[in-house]
Amino acid sequence: MQTSNKLYKFKEELPLTSGQTLDGFELMVECYGNLNQEKNNAILLNHAFSGSHHAAGKHNGTLGWWDDFVGPNKILDTNKFFIVSANNIGSCFGSSGPISLDKNGKRYNADFPEISVKDWVQAQKLLADKLKIQTWKLVVGGSLGGMQSLQWAIDFPDMVEKVAIIAAAATVDSQNIALNEVEREVIRKDSYFYNGNYYEHGKVPTKGLKAARMLGHITYLSAQNMEQRFGRKLQDQQTKLDDTINFEVENYLQYQGGKFADVFDANSYILLTKVMDGFDPSAEYDNNLVKTFKNISAEMLIISFASDWMFPPARGKEMLKAAIKANKKCSFVEFEGAYGHDSFLYAEDNYPDTISTFLEGKL
Amino acid sequence: MILEALIQNWVPQYAKVIDLGCGDGTLLESLHQLKSINPYGVEIDQKKILSCLSKNIPVIQADIDESIRDFEGLDFDIAILASSIQCLRHPDKALSNILSIAKKCIVTVPNFAHWQCRLQLSQGKMPVTKDLPAPWYATDNIHLCTIKDFEMLCIKLGLQIDQKKYLGTASSETFLSTRFPNLFASLGVYLIGSK
């Protein structure tokens, strides 16, 4: 499946939860399948922290991040459903973010306003209006995308029929925030960072960004998964990226970190980790998750992976319990997951069937 | 099926019901249709979980032995343990905990002292009956008991049996199954509350 993207421009002001305002914004969007006449077959797909709108099919030779799941006759069947996938504000893949220009033609850099998951949902609501979509058959996402899906169900209960919250939690915990802060610090301390105004100096803090991603990447894998893939295997002399490298796992992280630093923006990295840290839908509801879930009318599915140490099953169950207490229809399914937190990306075990059965109500 | 009809009678309209070991969700589905209950199934087997989802019955993947207390404080009216108590590693703990998650509990117990079981044992074989259908090598049952055993456990745990029905092999009460349950009831069905 070849896919193409489209840039949607919004002239209206977007009031942000921080109290600031975005004076117009843009969303880079990919859609798959066709919206039917009744406009009742739309699915909203939310990407994770460093993901993009490119979820399925091939674009410039690259497969989308959830291509296993999205396409003709796949889990989210594009013959039946119209699937919308938008790059979030603050990211760096085409939607408004630190690398975009403001109204005066000046690059935002570090001055891009503080963003929240709630702001993303508001922006997507305006996108839905533009696409003439009044209800989502399903809102689904993994990790930060799962949190965004939850926020949708809370903020626009009448628009969400079903919500699938995968490898996510109702907040990130202190350890997550701590790790994110180390990642941010590593970026800030790159001598090319210049307080975020690196483009003005004709530099890019790729070293800091690479190191930050290397740390982040470890948190997406599980200890067991790393042991199986790399163990203590030594890196082949010829393919070493660097003379200091001894082990395969080092080479792998260097490679992944480098690849990421070439395409991602350092200010976006800092901003998006802050979005994650700040996510707390219960803040509006006296910090009471049960109260927060009271408004939800969507049927909920929560999926956790046992090997995920960022958002382990206990965090999924925390949402489940609040949903049950609030008398919501909520299912919870747990998989071992061979890839730690990243397991949500792979169509393994009964995980894909669980989503399709939840969506379509049949086996 | 009379068992389901019986359970339906004990479940109030709109009740919040958790079925521990809900299987493919059939019981919850029929309770939902007849009593408009708010159903939650608990199941460990992922194939059965998919069956529940296909029936649009909310289902929670969990091991009953380990997780009953996870469901405390969630305001269930009724908890159901239908023919699963004998599969648990700690049936006594499960029974004493179950009333901390729901106001009432419905338990069904296959009777290992039913005359057919006794007869097959007297012939030197492990019983295979309507309520104990699997051969010994393929059964999930690890803590089988008799009607008498179960009721003695309830007394020991201070649980009050509000209602009980003794069903014969035709899934209905008979003169003999009610008169001599430990010999003629194939299944005991109980509505339990705490004293």
Side-chain angles (χ1 to χ4, degrees), chain A residues 32-80:
Chain A
Y32 321 99
N34 296 301
L35 187 62
N36 63 15
Q37 276 205 319
E38 298 80 23
K39 303 195 191 315
N40 63 4
N41 67 334
I43 290 176
L44 179 66
L45 182 52
N46 293 314
H47 66 75
F49 159 69
S50 61
S52 76
H53 52 283
H54 181 39
K58 266 201 170 160
H59 185 73
N60 294 337
T62 312
L63 269 186
W65 60 269
W66 230 29
D67 188 67
D68 278 358
F69 290 76
V70 182
N73 304 313
K74 291 186 184 176
I75 308 308
L76 305 184
D77 187 350
T78 48
N79 294 325
K80 294 185 204 164

Side-chain angles (χ1 to χ4, degrees), chain A residues 105-167:
Chain A
K106 189 181 162 290
R107 198 189 290 269
Y108 279 106
N109 294 321
D111 296 330
F112 196 79
E114 191 186 315
I115 295 291
S116 71
V117 172
K118 210 175 159 65
D119 299 331
W120 287 346
V121 170
Q122 292 294 333
Q124 286 176 320
K125 164 70 168 68
L126 296 173
L127 175 66
D129 292 347
K130 213 163 236 191
L131 296 170
K132 308 236 178 325
I133 293 167
Q134 285 180 332
T135 56
W136 301 107
K137 192 109 205 149
L138 174 73
V139 179
V140 55
S143 193
L144 190 50
M147 296 160 148
Q148 190 174 351
S149 304
L150 174 61
Q151 189 78 56
W152 252 103
I154 296 165
D155 287 355
F156 293 102
D158 298 340
M159 288 185 73
V160 185
E161 283 180 33
K162 296 187 180 192
V163 61
I165 301 154
I166 305 169

Side-chain angles (χ1 to χ4, degrees), chain A residues 89-332:
Chain A
I89 292 175
S91 181
C92 50
F93 296 111
S95 295
S96 298
I99 58 170
S100 333
L101 306 180
D102 66 15
K103 262 204 160 164
N104 306 318
K106 189 181 162 290
R107 198 189 290 269
Y108 279 106
N109 294 321
D111 296 330
F112 196 79
E114 191 186 315
I115 295 291
S116 71
V117 172
K118 210 175 159 65
D119 299 331
W120 287 346
V121 170
Q122 292 294 333
Q124 286 176 320
K125 164 70 168 68
L126 296 173
L127 175 66
D129 292 347
K130 213 163 236 191
L131 296 170
K132 308 236 178 325
I133 293 167
Q134 285 180 332
T135 56
W136 301 107
K137 192 109 205 149
L138 174 73
V139 179
V140 55
S143 193
L144 190 50
M147 296 160 148
Q148 190 174 351
S149 304
L150 174 61
Q151 189 78 56
W152 252 103
I154 296 165
D155 287 355
F156 293 102
D158 298 340
M159 288 185 73
V160 185
E161 283 180 33
K162 296 187 180 192
V163 61
I165 301 154
I166 305 169
T171 53
V172 304
D173 66 13
S174 188
Q175 190 183 28
N176 296 141
I177 297 173
L179 286 162
N180 282 342
E181 178 58 11
V182 175
E183 291 168 28
R184 287 189 289 264
E185 183 68 3
V186 165
I187 294 172
R188 289 186 206 117
K189 286 295 175 298
D190 185 311
S191 56
Y192 287 172
F193 186 63
Y194 297 105
N195 290 323
N197 295 315
Y198 39 88
Y199 282 114
E200 312 311 317
H201 292 79
K203 306 276 190 204
V204 193
T206 36
K207 284 183 193 158
L209 184 56
K210 177 182 170 184
R213 180 60 170 191
M214 285 166 74
L215 175 59
H217 200 103
I218 299 170
T219 67
Y220 308 148
L221 306 175
S222 70
Q224 199 192 357
N225 170 232
M226 287 178 94
E227 200 53 37
Q228 275 168 3
R229 270 170 84 178
F230 310 108
R232 296 181 51 80
K233 275 184 276 182
L234 294 174
Q235 183 62 37
D236 184 58
Q237 287 294 332
Q238 276 81 52
T239 50
K240 265 188 189 182
L241 288 173
D242 179 321
D243 277 345
T244 63
I245 286 171
N246 298 113
F247 294 99
E248 257 189 25
V249 65
E250 297 173 71
N251 210 62
Y252 170 81
L253 278 181
Q254 291 281 354
Y255 173 76
Q256 293 294 335
K259 202 173 79 170
F260 179 83
D262 287 342
V263 296
F264 214 79
D265 175 61
N267 282 322
S268 279
Y269 199 97
I270 291 174
L271 187 144
L272 294 175
T273 52
K274 288 275 187 192
V275 172
M276 201 192 307
D277 292 356
F279 177 70
D280 184 5
S282 74
E284 282 181 273
Y285 300 88
D286 305 329
N287 295 309
N288 180 331
L289 205 54
V290 179
K291 210 170 157 186
T292 312
F293 285 5
K294 282 275 183 214
N295 277 338
I296 294 180
S297 57
E299 294 173 20
M300 304 167 74
L301 169 66
I302 296 165
I303 293 178
S304 296
F305 297 93
S307 60
D308 179 357
W309 60 281
M310 237 180 129
F311 303 123
R315 301 299 319 274
K317 283 182 194 160
E318 189 183 304
M319 290 185 279
L320 167 76
K321 285 184 208 172
I324 296 177
K325 180 95 179 164
N327 296 325
K328 301 300 158 186
K329 278 188 92 165
C330 185
S331 294
F332 172 81

Side-chain angles (χ1 to χ4, degrees), chain B residues 3 5 18 21 44 55 65 67 96 102 132 136-137 164 179-180:
Chain B
L3 172 63
I18 184 165
I44 186 100
K55 295 184 173 79
D65 268 308
S67 67
S96 49
L132 295 166
W136 66 272
Y137 49 84
K164 60 187 170 189
R179 194 72 194 273
F180 307 105

Side-chain angles (χ1 to χ4, degrees), chain A residues 162 299 317 320-321 323-325 327-335 350 353-354 357-358 361-363, chain B residues 16 32 38 40 46-47 49-51 53-61 70-76:
Chain A
K162 296 187 180 192
E299 294 173 20
K317 283 182 194 160
L320 167 76
K321 285 184 208 172
I324 296 177
K325 180 95 179 164
N327 296 325
K328 301 300 158 186
K329 278 188 92 165
C330 185
S331 294
F332 172 81
V333 187
E334 179 179 328
F335 299 96
N350 286 320
D353 284 347
T354 301
T357 311
F358 172 69
K362 59 176 193 286
L363 277 171
Chain B
K16 187 168 176 178
H32 180 61
N38 185 2
Y40 296 89
Q46 288 192 342
K47 285 271 175 295
I49 287 172
L50 289 176
S51 299
L53 289 174
S54 74
K55 295 184 173 79
N56 203 13
I57 295 293
V59 62
I60 296 143
Q61 182 180 332
D70 282 354
F71 300 107
E72 271 178 22
L74 303 181
D75 313 327
F76 289 107

